[in-house]
Amino acid sequence: MATAPAPTTAAPAPAAAVAAVPSASVPRGQVDLVDFIDWTGVECLNQDPAHGIANALKQGYREDEGLHLASDSDEQLLIYIPFMQVIKLHSALFKGPEEEGPKTVKLFSNKEHMGFSNVNDFPPSDSVDLSSSHLLESKPVTLKYVKFQNVRSLTMFIEDNQSGADITKIQKIALYGTT
């Protein structure tokens, strides 16, 4: 009878391994920071009202292939994400269509109240040049970790997209790091 509980406790182990498969893109030692976002302060400038930031950033929405964030009047987007506590940002994942997915993403740590008129007045904490394979394969991009140690907020400037189209579409944004 003592051996019966052993297989029962062994059964959850494979289940845990299976549960880890969807999170395979989470870098080792890092967590998805979605639970630390202060949703009341999240803003996105130039978003299409019918395709807002929640579609790409919120858990559940960002996994839905039919939902996406889209720009409105041109290809640029300016996204402000405050956190409920100080975080350390390690990497970011962007998923989007091959043609309309983001290409140049500039990230600013702890820069509030930025607009399109002054976004180029500040040097970014890091700049990422995404390839279409980054967008399709859902691979996180490692950031300059030393620049993102005490992050209270993150501003992302999506400067352009893969093809130069008028509209940028992002299906998923995931931020990975620690608290």
Side-chain angles (χ1 to χ4, degrees), residues 112-175:
E112 298 179 358
H113 311 296
M114 294 181 77
F116 289 108
S117 60
N118 69 353
V119 73
N120 288 317
D121 295 347
F122 303 99
S125 302
D126 202 354
S127 186
V128 177
D129 198 22
L130 298 170
S131 66
S132 57
S133 65
H134 278 115
L135 299 172
L136 298 174
E137 296 170 20
S138 296
K139 288 186 178 178
V141 178
T142 302
L143 303 173
K144 293 177 185 168
Y145 193 54
V146 69
K147 299 277 191 174
F148 298 97
Q149 289 299 299
N150 293 299
V151 181
R152 292 177 309 282
S153 67
L154 179 70
T155 302
M156 292 186 283
F157 176 46
I158 313 297
E159 193 167 28
D160 53 13
N161 57 41
Q162 297 292 320
S163 65
D166 288 341
I167 295 174
T168 296
K169 292 181 181 176
I170 305 173
Q171 294 164 324
K172 179 178 182 176
I173 298 172
L175 304 171

